[in-house]
Amino acid sequence: MKRFTIKCILRGVSLIGCGLIASTPVLLAQKQTKSDWLLNSASYMAMVKTNENKKEVTLDNGLVKRTFRIAPSVVCIDYQNQVNGQQLLRAIKPEARVTINDKIYEIGGLTGQKENAYIRPEWLGQFTPGNQAFKMTGFEINPIRPQLNWKSKFWAANHKQPTGKVLSFHYRATATELSGLELDVNYELYDGLPLIVKSLSIRNKGSESFTIGRVVNEILGMVEEQSAVVGGVDQMAKPQGIYFETNYAFNNAMRYDLSDQTTHWKVDSTYRSQVNYDYQTPCLLEIYPDKVSGIELQKGDSYHSVRSYELLMDSYDRERRGLSIRKMYNTVAPWTTANPIFMHLVSKNDEQVRTAIDQCAATGYEALILSFGSHCNVEDTTATNIKKWKELADYAHSKKVFIGSYSLFSSRKISEEDDVINPKTGKTGGAFFGNAPCFGSKWGLGYRDKIKAFYLKAGFDIWENDGPYPGDVCASTTHPGHKGLEDSQWKQINIQKELYHWLNERGVYINAPDWYFLDGTHKIGIGYREVNFSLPRENQLILNRQNIFDGTWEKTSSMSRGFVPLTRYQGGGPEAVLEPLKDHLKDYEQLMVQYYGAGVQACYRGPRLYDTEETRLMVSGVIDWYKKYRDILNSEIIHLRRADGRDWDGLLHVNPKLKNKGMMMLYNPLKEKITRTVKVPLYYTGLTTVAKVTEKGKAPKSYALSRNYEIEYTCTLEPESYCWVLIE
């Protein structure tokens, strides 16, 4: 008789093994005892195990387990979250589906499952392969290779590329009409993360060309999130056990979930025992870009699908889910942890650039970006322009200051020949920004080449790419970079990605207001309305803290940037700006502290960083403080209380790997002094019994942690002020 144990979590919401659970104190205590991967992931190493008797291959790192039956066909039979024991699969599906020359082919999979609410291992022997146009010829296991050859030269929290194992199943076409095609389905399992990344590649080794249509690189029959008798796909909750993200996202939303182009939740017509009366439960997941087809695959060419990042979630808790996503980024995209201290210069001449470089060097700023409206034109690759900016770059580097510039691609009209052609009208106009160039046009390809030439020859370090390719389709049949409407989006986004990869390989840092993080961008807007920077400074102070609080749930501080208008920006009067700087030192300091205190860089936009020695000392003092505590200030954020202008607000940085395991930032927006007692959650600091707390450099005090991993901290805040509290 089999023995088993069910671990009941009192004060929790479910039993381990039954699905997602809330992060209650008792659960967190159990996680910490078991080496919570968010605190210490060193023991969770990726392995690939084979079982010849059962004809199975398993990916396993102690956090996630995914098992494949490899005969008579490759099929995923087990997908389990090992943190909470949740089984994610209820039905067997093909491993992928591709359309070639207008015909659909399934890759792997078995048929014959009659009950689709769950899978029993003893059923597997009764299933049979369908019509398999591709036959698995073998598999291999290799170390994960970096997706981006990032040259790291800026300060970063993580300079290391991720490690793990990749399992690749190799297929060869058996259908006569597909002669010469080879296909790989790849599963990357990462060390220290409950993450699997899936992708697909096709190679043409034949003598004929093929047309690749829709490529569905992931199909999962997942356990439903919600049991409802009535309701449609758009009304019912989607499964939350896996967070899905791909490197195919855009539209300037500055959030992944609103930028995603590939995640499709569908109904499963074979699932006849579901509760929903009309069989409309969204429990079939397919990953594919829906505006892509007609990709020509010539002899010797290869096609590479989108990359599906599948991060398993063990909780509904918003903070824990956000921490998981942020740790994924810190690990798989280490370039996003780079976070140089930069100024946004509005310049009219070279002398202003030299002066700004000197001010950066004098205050500890690490980089200067020529802002929009400045006199730097990176599209001018004439020898004269290159020579001028190379001399200025050399001067900046002699002062140990990086230099970069703004450049606009989209939301501009170039010409009737080079702009995106609207498929509805056959004319220009109707793009995401109204008028926009096609990246596959002659001008678009030339723009790419000019950026490369300027950055290579002038030696610039930062590219602020405003209006990157936003996903416009183009119906032109004369543009050299794409064939027609069907392949226009795919071709354009890959031109954009190739440029970002090229720049990263040369150490160029990229600011871009769209979700290209997994292909090389470093920073995006934290999320704000630009006209708000025309409001009075007292409004901006609170609004900025709200933006920081709201914009750091799913992205890290280093992936985010804010804005500080030193001079007039889109309207507003003297009450909206900081110039003259010497007259507004308190607001200037407060704005700097609340950004740097969150680990968020802001675009300090204007002609100078200081106007008097007193101003310089204030700016230098904040930067010195930030650099002293840079490691913890760039660590993960726990959201304490959102700014509302009525009472205190604040956040907490945590990092169990540092000596300084926590840094709390508290703010008083009121015009009177306040004393508040704050419950400080310290679970994610890794502390278990005692915390040593230091307020603004004063003598430390020791606090005993409660069973909830909390301390109660009492702080007095002066009117309209801030306070920082170090935790060891």
Side-chain angles (χ1 to χ4, degrees):
M1 182 177 71
K2 292 184 178 180
R3 300 182 63 186
F4 61 93
T5 302
I6 297 178
K7 297 181 179 179
C8 181
I9 300 179
L10 300 176
R11 297 173 58 195
V13 296
S14 80
L15 299 178
I16 289 288
C18 295
L20 300 181
I21 44 187
S23 292
T24 63
V26 176
L27 172 63
L28 294 178
Q30 186 180 67
K31 284 182 178 296
Q32 200 168 57
T33 302
K34 287 188 170 184
S35 186
D36 185 348
W37 69 276
L38 284 171
L39 297 178
N40 184 359
S41 61
S43 63
Y44 299 112
M45 304 299 290
M47 297 182 291
V48 182
K49 309 171 185 177
T50 59
N51 185 325
E52 295 183 3
N53 292 334
K54 291 187 176 181
K55 300 178 181 179
E56 292 177 357
V57 180
T58 299
L59 290 161
D60 190 345
N61 66 358
L63 298 170
V64 54
K65 182 174 71 171
R66 188 165 181 171
T67 299
F68 303 89
R69 180 69 64 93
I70 60 174
S73 179
V74 178
V75 63
C76 181
I77 60 172
D78 182 23
Y79 203 169
Q80 187 178 148
N81 186 328
Q82 297 189 88
V83 176
N84 62 3
Q86 182 185 18
Q87 176 57 245
L88 298 159
L89 294 185
R90 57 164 181 80
I92 283 175
K93 299 297 175 184
E95 290 306 296
R97 187 168 61 246
V98 298
T99 301
I100 304 174
N101 291 347
D102 295 325
K103 187 175 179 180
I104 298 174
Y105 301 92
E106 292 185 344
I107 311 300
L110 294 171
T111 63
Q113 184 175 352
K114 296 179 181 179
E115 173 56 73
N116 280 265
Y118 54 90
I119 306 169
R120 284 191 166 176
E122 58 265 28
W123 295 349
L124 297 174
Q126 304 168 21
F127 300 161
T128 58
N131 183 17
Q132 300 286 309
F134 285 86
K135 180 181 180 181
M136 196 269 282
T137 59
F139 65 87
E140 63 178 322
I141 303 161
N142 290 296
I144 286 176
R145 296 178 180 176
Q147 292 301 308
L148 191 69
N149 295 320
W150 169 50
K151 181 182 179 183
S152 171
K153 66 181 184 182
F154 298 91
W155 184 94
N158 177 28
H159 292 273
K160 297 180 181 179
Q161 292 279 10
T163 56
K165 302 291 185 184
V166 54
L167 169 64
S168 299
F169 289 106
H170 303 308
Y171 297 83
R172 185 180 67 248
T174 57
T176 304
E177 69 273 15
L178 301 177
S179 179
L181 288 184
E182 295 181 353
L183 187 148
D184 293 338
V185 181
N186 309 298
Y187 304 82
E188 301 167 23
L189 177 64
Y190 286 76
D191 293 332
L193 293 173
L195 175 71
I196 290 177
V197 177
K198 186 176 178 183
S199 62
L200 179 151
S201 60
I202 306 173
R203 296 180 300 278
N204 184 1
K205 292 191 173 182
S207 57
E208 304 293 330
S209 65
F210 296 90
T211 300
I212 307 298
R214 176 166 294 175
V215 173
V216 184
N217 70 294
E218 181 63 294
I219 307 169
L220 293 174
M222 294 187 65
V223 176
E224 59 266 41
E225 177 72 13
Q226 189 176 65
S227 178
V229 176
V230 295
V233 174
D234 296 331
Q235 298 170 302
M236 298 176 65
K238 312 302 188 295
Q240 297 295 303
I242 304 179
Y243 169 79
F244 294 97
E245 184 166 331
T246 72
N247 62 336
Y248 203 87
F250 38 74
N251 79 359
N252 290 80
M254 300 192 191
R255 285 182 54 93
Y256 177 77
D257 57 343
L258 300 178
S259 301
D260 172 43
Q261 308 292 323
T262 58
T263 305
H264 304 276
W265 288 105
K266 300 185 175 184
V267 301
D268 188 348
S269 61
T270 66
Y271 185 9
R272 309 302 291 179
S273 56
Q274 63 182 276
V275 169
N276 188 267
Y277 186 80
D278 294 318
Y279 304 108
Q280 293 297 300
T281 304
C283 55
L284 177 63
L285 181 279
E286 295 189 355
I287 299 288
Y288 60 87
D290 59 0
K291 293 182 179 179
V292 175
S293 61
I295 309 298
E296 291 297 320
L297 194 66
Q298 302 290 337
K299 177 183 177 181
D301 287 350
S302 295
Y303 167 93
H304 301 281
S305 76
V306 301
R307 291 170 51 77
S308 303
Y309 290 73
E310 303 176 13
L311 181 68
L312 274 59
M313 294 288 181
D314 58 30
S315 171
Y316 285 108
D317 179 71
R318 186 182 186 187
E319 195 76 83
R320 185 169 178 85
R321 292 176 73 90
L323 287 166
S324 300
I325 295 169
R326 286 175 259 155
K327 184 163 184 177
M328 177 189 77
Y329 265 107
N330 287 342
T331 304
V332 304
W335 50 89
T336 63
T337 71
N339 205 12
I341 306 167
F342 59 80
M343 174 198 180
H344 249 229
L345 174 67
V346 182
S347 67
K348 296 180 180 179
N349 55 61
D350 296 355
E351 190 56 36
Q352 290 178 329
V353 178
R354 291 180 182 273
T355 299
I357 291 169
D358 291 341
Q359 288 207 346
C360 285
T363 54
Y365 271 67
E366 297 164 341
L368 178 72
I369 301 176
L370 280 298
S371 187
F372 49 94
S374 294
H375 75 300
C376 181
N377 180 10
V378 296
E379 295 176 42
D380 181 354
T381 55
T382 61
T384 301
N385 193 53
I386 293 289
K387 181 176 183 294
K388 178 179 75 170
W389 289 107
K390 177 68 167 61
E391 290 174 354
L392 287 167
D394 289 344
Y395 181 73
H397 296 155
S398 74
K399 299 283 186 174
K400 297 184 179 180
V401 174
F402 297 112
I403 189 170
S405 182
Y406 172 96
S407 175
L408 177 67
F409 170 76
S410 198
S411 69
R412 58 191 284 195
K413 182 175 177 61
I414 304 301
S415 69
E416 293 297 309
E417 178 184 356
D418 294 297
D419 280 10
V420 167
I421 300 298
N422 188 331
K424 295 181 180 179
T425 65
K427 301 178 181 179
T428 59
F432 188 87
F433 293 110
N435 279 97
C438 174
F439 226 145
S441 69
K442 184 178 179 181
W443 182 92
L445 297 174
Y447 175 86
R448 172 201 62 190
D449 296 341
K450 287 176 180 178
I451 297 299
K452 288 184 178 181
F454 185 93
Y455 274 78
L456 186 65
K457 296 175 182 178
F460 270 34
D461 312 287
I462 300 174
W463 187 37
E464 184 145 313
N465 177 203
D466 195 3
Y469 170 65
D472 292 323
V473 295
C474 178
S476 171
T477 57
T478 61
H479 289 168
H482 67 96
K483 182 180 177 182
L485 175 64
E486 292 78 12
D487 70 340
S488 63
Q489 188 182 81
W490 184 259
K491 294 288 188 176
Q492 289 184 81
I493 195 174
N494 279 289
I495 294 169
Q496 178 80 80
K497 290 180 179 183
E498 186 276 332
L499 176 56
Y500 285 162
H501 282 240
W502 186 93
L503 290 166
N504 270 271
E505 289 169 1
R506 286 151 184 82
V508 176
Y509 187 94
I510 304 170
N511 286 343
D514 218 333
W515 210 271
Y516 286 95
F517 286 116
L518 295 173
D519 277 295
T521 57
H522 300 74
K523 199 179 296 295
I524 198 171
I526 199 165
Y528 50 74
R529 180 180 290 274
E530 288 189 304
V531 296
N532 287 356
F533 299 114
S534 301
L535 297 173
R537 290 183 297 277
E538 62 177 321
N539 297 54
Q540 293 184 44
L541 286 166
I542 294 176
L543 290 171
N544 287 358
R545 294 206 300 276
Q546 290 181 337
N547 294 336
I548 291 168
F549 194 94
D550 298 341
T552 52
W553 288 98
E554 288 87 21
K555 59 181 182 291
T556 65
S557 299
S558 60
M559 294 164 69
S560 310
R561 62 165 173 80
F563 192 87
V564 174
L566 302 178
T567 52
R568 191 168 181 264
Y569 181 75
Q570 292 196 8
E575 74 284 354
V577 301
L578 290 170
E579 285 280 5
L581 303 175
K582 62 182 176 60
D583 295 338
H584 307 109
L585 286 183
K586 182 180 179 181
D587 287 343
Y588 193 4
E589 178 184 357
Q590 178 86 6
L591 283 164
M592 289 184 70
V593 167
Q594 63 187 38
Y595 273 121
Y596 290 119
V600 176
Q601 302 298 329
C603 301
Y604 297 86
R605 188 173 189 268
R608 57 188 177 179
L609 288 169
Y610 59 88
D611 51 2
T612 65
E613 180 63 11
E614 184 183 11
T615 307
R616 186 192 69 80
L617 289 173
M618 185 281 293
V619 173
S620 298
V622 174
I623 295 301
D624 288 345
W625 168 80
Y626 172 67
K627 287 184 176 179
K628 180 178 180 179
Y629 298 109
R630 194 171 196 168
D631 287 344
I632 187 61
L633 289 173
N634 277 269
S635 296
E636 298 299 350
I637 285 177
I638 302 297
H639 299 76
L640 298 181
R641 188 178 189 276
R642 188 178 189 267
D644 58 12
R646 301 184 181 194
D647 206 340
W648 74 275
D649 58 271
L651 52 83
L652 170 69
H653 292 281
V654 294
N655 193 330
K657 296 181 180 179
L658 299 178
K659 178 180 181 293
N660 297 326
K661 297 187 180 299
M663 175 75 92
M664 182 165 57
M665 302 297 302
L666 301 175
Y667 301 93
N668 175 17
L670 305 177
K671 296 185 183 298
E672 66 264 10
K673 181 188 293 188
I674 62 172
T675 298
R676 296 290 184 267
T677 298
V678 179
K679 285 188 176 182
V680 187
L682 297 180
Y683 172 80
Y684 290 106
T685 66
L687 296 171
T688 57
T689 55
V690 176
K692 188 168 69 173
V693 179
T694 304
E695 181 180 316
K696 297 188 81 169
K698 299 176 183 177
K701 296 181 180 180
S702 294
Y703 290 77
L705 273 67
S706 70
R707 291 184 65 189
N708 294 354
Y709 294 91
E710 293 177 342
I711 63 170
E712 289 192 352
Y713 184 77
T714 301
C715 182
T716 297
L717 295 165
E718 296 297 322
E720 299 178 313
S721 70
Y722 67 88
C723 179
W724 57 270
V725 180
L726 188 66
I727 301 168
E728 300 176 88

